[in-house]
Amino acid sequence: MSLPAHAQIVVIGGGIIGCSTAYHLARDHKAEVVLLEQGKLTGGSTWHAAGLVGQLRSSASITQVLKYSVDLYKRLKDETGLETGWKMTGCLRLACNEDRWIEYKRLATTARSFGMEMHLLSPKEAKAMWPLMQVDDLVGATFLPTDGQASPSDITQSLAKGARMAGAKILEGVRVTGFTMDGDRITAVNTTEGSIACDKVINCAGQWARQVGAMAGINVPLQPVKHQYIITEKIDGLTADTATVRDPDRFTYFKEEVGGLVMGGYERDPIAWTTGDVPDDFEFQLFDDDWDHFEQHMVQAIARVPALEKTGVKQMINGPESFTPDGNFILGSAPECANMFVGAGFNAFGIAAGGGAGWVLAEWAIKGEAPMDLWVVDIRRFSGLHKDRDWVCERTLEAYGKHYTIGFPHEEYGSGRPRIVSPLYERLKAHGGVFGSKLGWERPNWFAPEGMEARDVYSMGRQNWFAPVGDEHQAVREAVGLFDQSSFAKYEMTGRDAARALDWICANDVSKPAGRLTYTQLLNSRGGIECDLTVARLAEDHFYIVTGTGFRTHDAAWIVDHVPSGLDVSLVDVTEDWGTLSLMGPKARDVLSSVTEADVSNAGFRFGHVRVIDIDGHEVRALRVTYVGELGWELHVPLEATGEVFDCLMAAGSPHGIRPVGYRALESLRLEKGYRAWGSDITPNDSPFEAGLGWAVKLKKNTDFMGREAAQRTAGAPLKKKLAGFTVDDPDVVLLGRETILRDGEFAGYLTIGGFGYSIGQSIGYGYVRHADGVSDAWLRDGVYELVVAMQRVPARLHLEALYDPTAARVKL
Ligand SMILES: Cc1cc2nc3c(=O)[nH]c(=O)nc-3n(C[C@H](O)[C@H](O)[C@H](O)COP(=O)(O)OP(=O)(O)OC[C@H]3O[C@@H](n4cnc5c(N)ncnc54)[C@H](O)[C@@H]3O)c2cc1C
């Protein structure tokens, strides 16, 4: 087949992801698609995958994507006539210690929250299901009956056939060599066989996606890592419906294959392949067997399945797979290019994810908007930091090495740190600061008091920082605290049409006079919340926009993508120009008034205002806002002056008991006040009305804005879900998010977030309570609630208002 002159969409890569994307584009959207594969279909990573298909992840949306894959693999043969090899064998997960067992009980609760059954089994029950296994060291096991296995190459060929049947053109032996660009837009894909003009490109080039992306100036931060498994001779006692097994405490997994076992693992000391370009001709190729490195898995696997000791190995597979710095795959619209989408970096679950990833990627490319909350896999979660290949490699190897370790709550990565530090880093360290990292920034999580080691000690219950964070929390409630929030992402929007642009993008009314602040959401066309940020109007045509550290790339890209064309507007990222000190607490005014001549009285500097004030000879942008529910200011200080201003505030605050406060106390404070966090409590799946933020939507104003139509529909209709707060009386109950909400004993949703409120002395959770017939406040208040926490039902109380109200000078319970 010859190369067509034009295609609506060119998909690059004929692995499972490219074929699934082409299939969905052609079948569901009738798009005119051309898929280009440099070698033969499946010749990259797909052909040598082991074929385990698991579905449960910690994100509800990604679990939905993986469930979709399973549904597709079940039915695809009826459509295309080609088998996928799908077998619903179920999956056993083994626990060898108490911490793992708690992790599994939480996982089983998450499964129920996401609509799946996961059973808890005794070692004896696990043995009955898998007699070849030795279970003396087991505390228990879980069983997820709807997981299974499939044949990676068969699925891919079946998807390719389905795509062709729907009109897609699939061309093998055609290598993409570059792009013709018009500014940041691809106008043609150049190949070894000529060029194709096109509207959009989807980069599904597997471990080559990084170099293919670079040809269009985009960064796809993935790292090929060597991953090995063996296939054994037949073993008596295995049948075609034998469950797959994950044995993370022994770092290994098993799957039945033609009467023998596939056995592989995730070692703590993985081996990266190249940090340079992957050779183009690495097709249907493997690395040499590395028995020395694999021995660690062999030893553990024999201890689990003693029959392996006497079983021959038919083949070892040592193949490259793309892994990423946070263990999640990479999807969506590349911020550096107007029309390239990416689906890559599948971290050894590309077969499990393939069907669903192709489905959502096709929707995304066609509609220009992710069809659901895909933030955890969104390519816009990365930043300039991720262009550093060595850093990406180091962090990726750490993530790979942690694939099977116990996932303790609040765990931080250790590699590649410190990377970006605020000017206060050394000062905060001297105060006992224990840091976490977010998008490369070191941020103080908490401060170890004298006599305490300044490091996190992880556990499944309350961790070592619990009490010190409580002290920090109380300092903010009773006196004053100083937060280093210099990592906040900050942009300046200027230009004649800046106000018009923001008026269109923002759901709240930002067209206030200079000197005013607006807290606003940015909505997608479904009325879901895409961004949650503060806009300060500094002058008629000059706006200062502040958002969360992690959303730096995402929010800038959303804004730029949605500014109506033809407007005179410019958006500049000024994150590194400004340090941010948040001075919060009832004594904040006393401290601030002693370091500035400016009038910071309530009448002179009201809530929701921004002023430039002088502190210690430096011009500081002071924003009167709060995320902790106390009097306070966010002080945006020229970066180079941040240290001096910090010292000045600390000295002035000393008589008032000022102290530096970290992010864990911030979280506790904001949970008590019910402030929402984007990515957990509010996401593209949720409308402001469902989130209790309807007051911030300018429906009463007669201006059109992005998402207005959908917002209007939601505002007028009974809600099907509503965000509510919950507390539990037992202070030992640890809430982390994803716990199931029961109303009158029936499933009613799950927590999006969990934490602890030190002023109220209780665990706090927030979650959407769902009801198909409508969720009114009266209906919500009418219910009796429980939370399921690690499979235990715990009585809970529902709250529709803030749990802590400083103005009422009392705790509301
Ligand atoms: C040993 C091993 C075991 C695994 N086991 C499992 C498992 O049990 N379960 C699971 O879910 N996943 C597993 N995986 C992961 C799985 O194989 C991958 O996630 C998946 O195959 C990735 O598919 P892909 O389409 O992204 O990449 P690929 O299959 O690599 O496809 C990318 C394609 O792009 C083509 N391409 C690249 N550059 C160009 C260019 N310039 N022009 C044209 N074409 C180009 C390549 O030739 C290649 O065919 C395993 C991986 C390994 C290595």
Side-chain angles (χ1 to χ4, degrees):
M1 198 188 288
S2 63
L3 214 60
H6 178 270
Q8 183 189 348
I9 301 183
V10 173
V11 176
I12 304 170
I16 190 165
I17 307 301
C19 289
S20 175
T21 305
Y23 165 81
H24 286 96
L25 283 167
R27 196 197 64 152
D28 296 353
H29 304 284
K30 314 287 170 253
E32 183 209 346
V33 187
V34 172
L35 183 149
L36 304 177
E37 164 55 48
Q38 63 184 354
K40 293 265 178 229
L41 297 186
T42 78
S45 288
T46 298
W47 70 279
H48 56 59
L52 282 84
V53 177
Q55 301 164 90
L56 185 59
R57 307 288 290 185
S58 56
S59 145
S61 297
I62 303 308
T63 303
Q64 194 185 337
V65 166
L66 270 59
K67 273 162 115 175
Y68 176 95
S69 292
V70 166
D71 290 341
L72 177 65
Y73 302 163
K74 271 186 210 164
R75 66 169 164 77
L76 196 59
K77 182 190 164 242
D78 296 340
E79 201 177 310
T80 66
L82 292 184
E83 295 281 358
T84 60
W86 166 251
K87 285 195 289 181
M88 196 178 91
T89 58
C91 174
L92 278 166
R93 283 183 172 83
L94 313 181
C96 299
N97 56 62
E98 279 304 326
D99 282 345
R100 180 75 72 184
W101 191 229
I102 294 171
E103 183 185 46
Y104 280 2
K105 286 193 275 189
R106 287 182 178 156
L107 200 63
T109 302
T110 301
R112 291 209 179 152
S113 291
F114 297 170
M116 301 168 89
E117 276 307 309
M118 183 186 241
H119 308 290
L120 298 180
L121 307 182
S122 67
K124 212 169 136 197
E125 288 168 322
K127 172 97 181 159
M129 286 185 72
W130 230 88
L132 287 172
M133 178 161 79
Q134 137 347 83
V135 296
D136 296 350
D137 58 340
L138 292 196
V139 178
T142 62
F143 184 62
L144 208 151
T146 55
D147 277 355
Q149 53 171 289
S151 162
S153 295
D154 291 349
I155 300 171
T156 309
Q157 295 294 354
S158 194
L159 286 166
K161 182 163 178 206
R164 284 193 194 98
M165 285 163 64
K169 292 188 175 68
I170 297 186
L171 302 173
E172 294 175 292
V174 181
R175 173 171 304 141
V176 172
T177 52
F179 301 100
T180 304
M181 309 285 298
D182 178 6
D184 67 350
R185 177 169 286 279
I186 297 171
T187 53
V189 178
N190 304 322
T191 80
T192 44
E193 307 299 314
S195 290
I196 310 179
C198 66
D199 303 336
K200 289 178 187 170
V201 173
I202 309 189
N203 174 359
C204 301
Q207 59 186 334
W208 295 265
R210 183 167 204 154
Q211 60 217 55
V212 169
M215 296 174 193
I218 75 156
N219 182 36
V220 184
L222 51 78
Q223 172 60 48
V225 180
K226 297 178 176 180
H227 187 70
Q228 297 195 95
Y229 66 83
I230 55 164
I231 307 168
T232 74
E233 303 286 356
K234 282 198 169 150
I235 305 177
D236 284 344
L238 288 173
T239 55
D241 59 359
T242 298
T244 57
V245 173
R246 289 183 168 85
D247 190 2
D249 295 316
R250 292 183 180 277
F251 298 94
T252 49
Y253 59 80
F254 302 88
K255 177 199 111 167
E256 181 277 336
E257 184 152 307
V258 283
L261 278 180
V262 160
M263 185 278 286
Y266 288 88
E267 56 279 9
R268 297 298 315 265
D269 57 343
I271 301 174
W273 193 22
T274 173
T275 52
D277 283 355
V278 173
D280 287 333
D281 58 358
F282 196 88
E283 189 193 4
F284 292 112
Q285 285 188 54
L286 294 172
F287 305 117
D288 291 343
D289 299 350
D290 187 348
W291 282 104
D292 287 346
H293 198 62
F294 198 71
E295 190 187 352
Q296 53 187 312
H297 296 315
M298 213 59 230
V299 170
Q300 295 292 350
I302 290 171
R304 176 65 65 219
V305 184
L308 278 176
E309 199 166 14
K310 298 200 170 65
T311 306
V313 172
K314 270 203 306 209
Q315 195 185 358
M316 171 174 263
I317 303 282
N318 184 5
E321 161 69 344
S322 336
F323 286 82
T324 63
D326 60 5
N328 254 322
F329 51 90
I330 305 174
L331 225 56
S333 168
E336 305 94 331
C337 175
N339 55 348
M340 180 183 269
F341 293 79
V342 178
F346 277 87
N347 294 275
F349 66 107
I351 307 308
W359 160 53
V360 291
L361 192 51
E363 294 265 335
W364 202 332
I366 292 289
K367 298 191 179 144
E369 207 171 87
M372 61 174 86
D373 169 29
L374 294 171
W375 169 237
V376 293
V377 296
D378 193 321
I379 192 168
R380 294 168 296 180
R381 72 189 187 277
F382 302 115
S383 67
L385 156 76
H386 297 94
K387 290 184 179 143
D388 178 341
R389 289 193 168 197
D390 293 331
W391 189 92
V392 167
C393 181
E394 196 184 339
R395 179 57 64 85
T396 301
L397 292 182
E398 184 187 359
Y400 180 112
K402 284 184 167 163
H403 186 82
Y404 271 166
T405 58
I406 293 168
F408 286 109
H410 311 287
E411 201 173 334
E412 295 278 347
Y413 284 106
S415 60
R417 294 178 54 188
R419 176 68 190 205
I420 312 172
V421 295
S422 100
L424 305 181
Y425 181 61
E426 291 301 335
R427 284 175 174 83
L428 298 178
K429 240 164 84 173
H431 279 278
V434 182
F435 294 80
S437 77
K438 191 88 175 242
L439 213 64
W441 284 82
E442 289 294 307
R443 310 191 314 169
N445 278 336
W446 61 286
F447 292 86
E450 264 247 345
M452 188 173 177
E453 201 188 346
R455 74 176 182 97
D456 283 330
V457 178
Y458 300 121
S459 66
M460 283 297 180
R462 298 286 177 214
Q463 301 182 354
N464 66 325
W465 46 265
F466 185 71
V469 168
D471 294 342
E472 291 171 34
H473 173 117
Q474 291 308 349
V476 177
R477 287 273 182 259
E478 288 160 15
V480 59
L482 195 53
F483 299 83
D484 178 12
Q485 300 196 279
S486 301
S487 62
F488 269 159
K490 309 161 202 101
Y491 324 107
E492 293 203 358
M493 187 181 267
T494 51
R496 204 178 51 238
D497 298 319
R500 261 177 77 195
L502 285 170
D503 216 24
W504 165 251
I505 294 168
C506 298
N508 204 349
D509 182 10
V510 292
S511 64
K512 297 175 184 119
R516 296 290 303 276
L517 293 176
T518 310
Y519 166 61
T520 185
Q521 282 75 48
L522 316 191
L523 306 184
N524 59 33
S525 63
R526 306 184 305 277
I529 302 171
E530 288 286 344
C531 311
D532 174 74
L533 41 78
T534 306
V535 178
R537 189 166 201 175
L538 301 179
E540 236 357 69
D541 56 356
H542 186 183
F543 294 84
Y544 184 56
I545 302 172
V546 184
T547 188
T549 308
F551 314 137
R552 181 176 182 174
T553 310
H554 174 272
D555 288 10
W558 180 271
I559 293 170
V560 169
D561 284 354
H562 292 88
V563 168
S565 57
L567 296 193
D568 173 31
V569 175
S570 115
L571 187 84
V572 179
D573 186 323
V574 292
T575 300
E576 272 89 15
D577 294 353
W578 297 92
T580 306
L581 295 170
S582 297
L583 181 73
M584 298 283 154
K587 303 280 184 201
R589 180 171 289 119
D590 296 334
V591 179
L592 193 58
S593 62
S594 67
V595 297
T596 182
E597 298 290 309
D599 179 2
V600 296
S601 67
N602 198 36
F605 199 151
R606 302 192 74 82
F607 186 79
H609 283 67
V610 55
R611 302 252 185 288
V612 177
I613 64 172
D614 183 278
I615 301 179
D616 204 26
H618 302 288
E619 279 198 355
V620 171
R621 288 178 182 170
L623 280 61
R624 178 132 179 240
V625 280
T626 179
Y627 195 52
V628 298
E630 300 293 341
L631 171 70
W633 283 265
E634 248 177 42
L635 302 170
H636 292 251
V637 183
L639 196 76
E640 60 288 353
T642 314
E644 273 177 47
V645 172
F646 175 82
D647 294 342
C648 175
L649 290 166
M650 287 298 286
S654 163
H656 304 286
I658 197 169
R659 54 181 295 171
V661 179
Y663 273 86
R664 293 205 177 124
L666 183 77
E667 178 69 1
S668 160
L669 291 156
R670 77 100 187 162
L671 285 174
E672 282 183 343
K673 273 302 286 179
Y675 293 123
R676 291 12 182 171
W678 192 82
S680 54
D681 315 331
I682 48 177
T683 74
N685 290 349
D686 315 307
S687 78
F689 304 96
E690 294 163 339
L693 296 172
W695 56 269
V697 184
K698 58 185 173 207
L699 281 181
K700 289 202 182 106
K701 250 194 113 187
N702 196 20
T703 34
D704 200 7
F705 61 91
M706 180 78 199
R708 178 171 187 128
E709 228 174 90
Q712 221 146 4
R713 273 198 309 273
T714 325
L719 296 177
K720 302 256 189 291
K721 64 175 189 184
K722 184 160 185 193
L723 192 69
F726 293 90
T727 52
V728 293
D729 287 335
D730 180 350
D732 291 331
V733 169
V734 177
L735 298 179
L736 298 169
R738 296 180 295 278
E739 293 83 357
T740 313
I741 303 167
L742 301 177
R743 182 186 179 278
D744 295 341
E746 301 280 321
F747 175 88
Y750 55 89
L751 297 188
T752 57
I753 192 83
F756 190 82
Y758 292 90
S759 298
I760 65 168
Q762 290 187 323
S763 287
I764 301 173
Y766 286 87
Y768 288 90
V769 184
R770 293 149 204 266
H771 186 52
D773 295 337
V775 179
S776 66
D777 285 3
W779 179 87
L780 282 167
R781 287 205 171 90
D782 214 23
V784 174
Y785 292 90
E786 290 162 287
L787 297 177
V788 184
V789 183
M791 298 300 269
Q792 293 288 323
R793 285 164 81 140
V794 182
R797 270 187 277 171
L798 170 120
H799 304 268
L800 295 179
E801 280 137 24
L803 291 155
Y804 178 83
D805 182 355
T807 54
R810 68 186 172 85
V811 173
K812 282 191 184 172
L813 279 179

